[in-house]
Amino acid sequence: MIARIFLIGSLTFWGVSSTFAQDLAEGIVQPAAIEDASLDPKSEQITAVVTPPIEAKPPRIPTEHLASRSVFKKFEMAPDGSRFAVLRADEKTTQIQIFDAAKLEKLEEWSFGERETIEWFKWIDNERLFYSVALAPFSFKHNRRLNGFHVREVLTGRRFTIPLDRLKWSLGDLVHVAEDGTHALVSMRELSERYPSVYRFDLRSGAKPQKVIRSKKDVYWWHADDIGVVRLGLGWQNKRLKVYYRSDAASKFKLIGRVRVGEEDSRYWEVIQIVSGSDNGYVLEEGENGRVGIRLFDYATRRTIETFYEHPEWDIESMWLDDDGKPLAAFYTDDRERAVWFDREYEELYIKIRDRLGTVDVRFVGLARNGERVLLWAGNEADPGAIYSHARGESELVKFVDLRPELDRNALVKPKPVAYRARDGLSIRAYLTLPQGPAQTDLPLIILPHGGPFGVRDKLEYNGEVQFLANRGYAVLQPNFRGSSGYGQAFSDAGNGQIGRKMQDDLDDAMDWAVSEGIADPERVCVIGGSYGGYAALWAVLRNPERYRCAASWAGVTDLKAMLKYDRLFLTRSASRQWRARVRGGNNFDVRAISPISRAGELNRPVLLAHGSKDYVVPITQYMAFEEESNDAPVRITKLRIPSEGHSFTSEDSEQQWYDALDHFLDKHNPAQN
């Protein structure tokens, strides 16, 4: 019911994220939220939004509480709403648990091995669950491999494994589950092949899967219509999106279009639905005005029939269809995630729940096929939230679990949207978080740039790092600098060739704005970030040491030339050229001129340099090279290396180590108290 997003021509690297919203990215519907009374997202007004001061300082939140995370990762409601399945995973065990949806009593659970991970799970009917298990790799040189597909009858515990030579296969994507529960279609490939085929799985007998669609060159994703006929294949070749289509099961696939990245007529195109017995369905497509909207589309002619919905200011990011295949809601992001409802009953249900809980955000994480029961998350940017169960027609909301229950909600603070103008006149959106306490001016300031840098943005949502810094007494400013997503193609393209240049100017200008508004003390400003944000933090104190008191980098890029060479291992030749061009700008530009490693020997500001040894996005060699080159610098770096960690924080212990290191580093080099 929830569509997969493909963004044509968008390359995103070096991004770090660990929010609960992303933990639940699969299967979440984002209903509309209460409108903020603060700045309009498109406003040109340049004004600080200052929260009324609270006289008492909040209690100091322990770092282990800030690093804690929910053990519940994914939810799936049974079609009749009688029960739901949840993936429960901590650092020791992974389980699938089954709960009664009304009473919230646990009915059953089963556990998996230490190296086993659950790729996906799906109810076949009200009694059976279909799920895929993968094996974690032994090392960077090995891919995650398929460990098996399983069908389990809940409550009785009866289970069978669908026979496959598991060492022969890569992971599989679920394409379709038959409404009568008889079979499923899974797209997967043998390790010896490059492109996936589609297999039919018998979900009753457990017989060996049968290949129904052979692999096709350059096709990576297969789509079926509502009755399970594979009708469309998508793939890339030489920066072109190739689209193969057929009208029915008896027809052959034909190449109906090659969409070239950068062509004005189709920069964004995504399959949402294909209707059986018809060549029509819904897509997300960029229109003539540059906005991505919902279009009714003829796949045979590759022409838009009509626009169903287009927001006047924001791109539609995803949509939700009802059981009859009709649009139910469209979703977009301004400062927070929003929705437009096309069904009055669902809109009324959302409003009822929102008003009852008195919260800002409500998200449906599980929904019965008839819509009679919903599992939902409710929270906001100052509350990690809780999971509730609710039956339509009843007034009761039953709480399933508080997420991050150790956190003292009264000690958390709400970020607010602000806007400032960069030196070249570009309007920049940012989020300002002020600490609790009587002082609301001349505060120590942390500039916190996001990762990416392209195809990523900050928004109003719970962020543990922001709460940690605010709790310690710092004002925190998160600029969506040029190149960030969510503000249109022109804003994204404004970042091309501007890493270390105008992108960095945007951070300096954020500092100047905060100082001019009286929020920040110019003598107490530090930059902290992860991945690209880590690069920006290091470059800030090397490019403009007179501005900044210190910097802290997690998994930061230090040598852009080496990083671009490393990225080529994971990209096609054309994609690599495109990425290099986006980073460099001009072909003759030497990225060493904007690489922190090139000036590491000049370092004269305190730096916390942190990295995970198992980071394969930004390899540990980036950390080691900067460490070596800075040995003779006037100021010695503070180092943190976590042997078992990758690019993002996969464990609470790793995240806590980062917070503890930041705590000590900032207390020494930029204390919140004068």
Side-chain angles (χ1 to χ4, degrees):
M1 190 174 286
I2 305 304
R4 180 177 297 146
I5 298 298
F6 302 106
L7 181 58
I8 296 175
S10 174
L11 285 169
T12 302
F13 293 84
W14 318 336
V16 175
S17 181
S18 60
T19 66
F20 172 72
Q22 287 165 329
D23 288 341
L24 295 180
E26 295 184 17
I28 292 184
V29 178
Q30 312 286 3
I34 298 172
E35 294 290 334
D36 289 345
S38 50
L39 293 179
D40 180 88
K42 287 291 184 179
S43 173
E44 294 298 319
Q45 184 180 359
I46 305 177
T47 307
V49 179
V50 180
T51 303
I54 298 174
E55 292 304 319
K57 289 181 61 179
R60 188 177 179 89
I61 304 175
T63 54
E64 60 266 29
H65 293 179
L66 288 155
S68 67
R69 55 194 67 187
S70 173
V71 296
F72 298 106
K73 306 300 182 184
K74 300 177 184 178
F75 297 86
E76 180 76 13
M77 182 77 81
D80 67 356
S82 62
R83 56 182 66 97
F84 62 87
V86 58
L87 176 63
R88 186 192 186 281
D90 56 28
E91 295 178 22
K92 296 181 180 179
T93 61
T94 298
Q95 297 175 320
I96 291 179
Q97 298 181 340
I98 308 297
F99 285 86
D100 182 290
K103 299 178 181 178
L104 299 183
E105 295 175 353
K106 185 163 61 178
L107 304 175
E108 185 185 7
E109 68 180 20
W110 59 99
S111 302
F112 300 88
E114 183 178 353
R115 292 184 56 241
E116 292 181 319
T117 59
I118 308 302
E119 291 300 302
W120 45 259
F121 54 94
K122 180 75 174 178
W123 288 96
I124 301 168
D125 48 38
N126 296 317
E127 307 297 333
R128 296 178 300 155
L129 203 67
F130 183 35
Y131 57 97
S132 171
V133 182
L135 287 176
F138 286 105
S139 70
F140 173 56
K141 296 180 180 180
H142 297 84
N143 293 322
R144 292 164 71 184
R145 293 188 177 184
L146 182 67
N147 193 34
F149 295 99
H150 308 273
V151 174
R152 187 179 182 106
E153 187 175 295
V154 302
L155 304 184
T156 69
R158 288 194 291 268
R159 186 195 75 166
F160 64 80
T161 299
I162 296 175
L164 285 172
D165 182 355
R166 66 186 188 186
L167 297 180
K168 186 179 178 181
W169 298 93
S170 71
L171 306 182
D173 291 329
L174 185 62
V175 176
H176 176 79
V177 175
E179 189 171 350
D180 62 5
T182 57
H183 66 276
L185 300 178
V186 178
S187 169
M188 58 185 186
R189 65 177 178 85
E190 296 187 48
L191 293 176
S192 59
E193 296 182 349
R194 185 172 182 180
Y195 306 105
S197 300
V198 180
Y199 292 79
R200 179 187 171 106
F201 284 67
D202 190 317
L203 300 178
R204 294 177 298 187
S205 69
K208 185 177 180 180
Q210 301 299 309
K211 185 184 291 188
V212 295
I213 300 293
R214 292 188 176 276
S215 63
K216 184 177 287 291
K217 184 181 179 182
D218 299 322
V219 173
Y220 295 97
W221 304 284
W222 293 101
H223 292 265
D225 62 21
D226 53 318
I227 62 171
V229 177
V230 179
R231 302 266 302 277
L232 189 140
L234 299 173
W236 288 92
Q237 183 186 47
N238 298 326
K239 298 200 319 186
R240 290 181 182 268
L241 178 70
K242 299 177 71 174
V243 183
Y244 290 89
Y245 178 75
R246 64 177 181 172
S247 294
D248 52 52
S251 303
K252 292 184 178 180
F253 284 97
K254 295 182 179 180
L255 182 64
I256 65 168
R258 288 188 179 96
V259 184
R260 185 172 180 82
V261 171
E263 285 183 350
E264 293 182 0
D265 64 338
S266 202
R267 294 183 64 87
Y268 187 111
W269 191 79
E270 178 205 345
V271 177
I272 298 295
Q273 174 209 49
I274 307 172
V275 179
S276 58
S278 168
D279 289 319
N280 298 341
Y282 290 105
V283 300
L284 295 184
E285 185 179 41
E286 187 173 303
E288 294 181 358
N289 62 356
R291 291 292 175 203
V292 175
I294 301 171
R295 326 284 179 191
L296 184 61
F297 193 80
D298 186 322
Y299 290 97
T301 63
R302 202 184 174 279
R303 291 184 178 180
T304 298
I305 299 171
E306 64 180 11
T307 294
F308 178 82
Y309 177 78
E310 182 179 283
H311 193 280
E313 294 182 304
W314 305 97
D315 289 342
I316 300 302
E317 298 166 341
S318 62
M319 65 178 293
W320 186 26
L321 303 174
D322 66 15
D323 296 329
D324 296 323
K326 297 178 181 178
L328 196 58
F331 307 99
Y332 66 95
T333 301
D334 47 31
D335 281 320
R336 64 173 73 251
E337 295 164 337
R338 310 282 191 187
V340 177
W341 291 93
F342 308 125
D343 184 286
R344 177 168 293 183
E345 289 186 4
Y346 277 95
E347 184 175 26
E348 289 175 351
L349 174 64
Y350 165 74
I351 293 172
K352 171 186 172 183
I353 292 171
R354 184 198 67 190
D355 292 348
R356 176 72 183 273
L357 293 172
T359 188
V360 173
D361 291 327
V362 172
R363 300 173 185 151
F364 292 178
V365 299
L367 186 66
R369 186 171 291 168
N370 58 14
E372 292 303 308
R373 181 170 291 278
V374 62
L375 200 66
L376 60 102
W377 169 88
N380 57 56
E381 57 270 28
D383 181 359
I387 302 293
Y388 297 84
S389 179
H390 176 70
R392 181 176 288 188
E394 297 180 3
S395 60
E396 186 177 14
L397 277 163
V398 184
K399 183 183 290 187
F400 172 59
V401 66
D402 274 313
L403 304 173
R404 307 194 188 207
E406 304 88 351
L407 279 174
D408 178 2
R409 268 53 172 180
N410 294 324
L412 303 178
V413 289
K414 277 193 173 186
K416 296 291 184 181
V418 298
Y420 66 92
R421 198 173 297 282
R423 63 191 66 181
D424 63 357
L426 188 65
S427 180
I428 306 291
R429 197 71 168 169
Y431 301 101
L432 173 68
T433 308
L434 298 178
Q436 290 186 22
Q440 298 284 289
T441 58
D442 294 323
L443 293 164
L445 175 67
I446 302 296
I447 304 290
L448 191 68
H450 61 68
F454 304 108
V456 181
R457 59 162 293 176
D458 282 318
K459 56 189 174 185
L460 290 176
E461 62 182 352
Y462 176 80
N463 184 310
E465 191 169 41
V466 169
Q467 296 296 334
F468 160 72
L469 293 166
N471 181 256
R472 295 314 192 249
Y474 299 92
V476 184
L477 192 57
Q478 300 167 268
N480 278 329
F481 46 82
R482 70 192 67 208
S484 302
S485 65
Y487 300 96
Q489 195 62 43
F491 190 87
S492 177
D493 289 346
N496 292 346
Q498 297 305 322
I499 290 176
R501 289 165 274 182
K502 288 186 178 181
M503 278 187 180
Q504 202 72 26
D505 291 345
D506 293 345
L507 304 185
D508 293 346
D509 296 342
M511 171 195 166
D512 290 344
W513 171 84
V515 170
S516 68
E517 291 289 326
I519 298 164
D521 179 348
E523 301 299 320
R524 295 191 292 162
V525 182
C526 291
V527 186
I528 297 173
S531 198
Y532 171 80
Y535 159 85
L538 294 173
W539 191 233
V541 293
L542 288 165
R543 190 182 85 149
N544 298 107
E546 73 285 354
R547 281 180 164 272
Y548 300 107
R549 191 158 172 173
C550 61
S553 164
W554 168 262
V557 175
T558 66
D559 185 341
L560 283 166
K561 184 176 181 180
M563 192 69 219
L564 289 173
K565 184 177 180 180
Y566 178 80
D567 287 340
R568 285 161 53 187
L569 298 174
F570 309 97
L571 299 172
T572 64
R573 183 176 298 178
S574 59
S576 180
R577 286 198 300 268
Q578 181 188 3
W579 176 233
R580 291 198 306 272
R582 195 165 196 190
V583 172
R584 287 176 174 168
N587 290 331
N588 296 323
F589 183 79
D590 186 354
V591 293
R592 287 177 297 186
I594 54 171
S595 293
I597 197 170
S598 66
R599 299 174 67 173
E602 305 170 15
L603 187 66
N604 61 6
R605 290 290 184 269
V607 162
L608 170 61
L609 189 72
H611 219 105
S613 295
K614 293 185 177 180
D615 187 344
Y616 305 123
V617 177
V618 177
I620 188 66
T621 51
Q622 292 277 318
Y623 167 99
M624 296 166 63
F626 190 86
E627 177 187 26
E628 181 177 354
E629 290 298 317
S630 65
N631 277 336
D632 297 327
V635 173
R636 300 284 290 184
I637 62 173
T638 301
K639 295 174 285 187
L640 172 65
R641 181 168 171 173
I642 304 180
S644 59
E645 195 51 86
H647 193 59
S648 299
F649 296 117
T650 58
S651 73
E652 295 180 14
D653 179 68
S654 296
E655 191 168 348
Q656 184 182 348
Q657 287 188 57
W658 168 243
Y659 291 152
D660 286 340
L662 273 178
D663 229 354
H664 183 268
F665 177 80
L666 291 173
D667 190 56
K668 180 178 180 180
H669 298 293
N670 191 24
Q673 301 300 320
N674 282 316

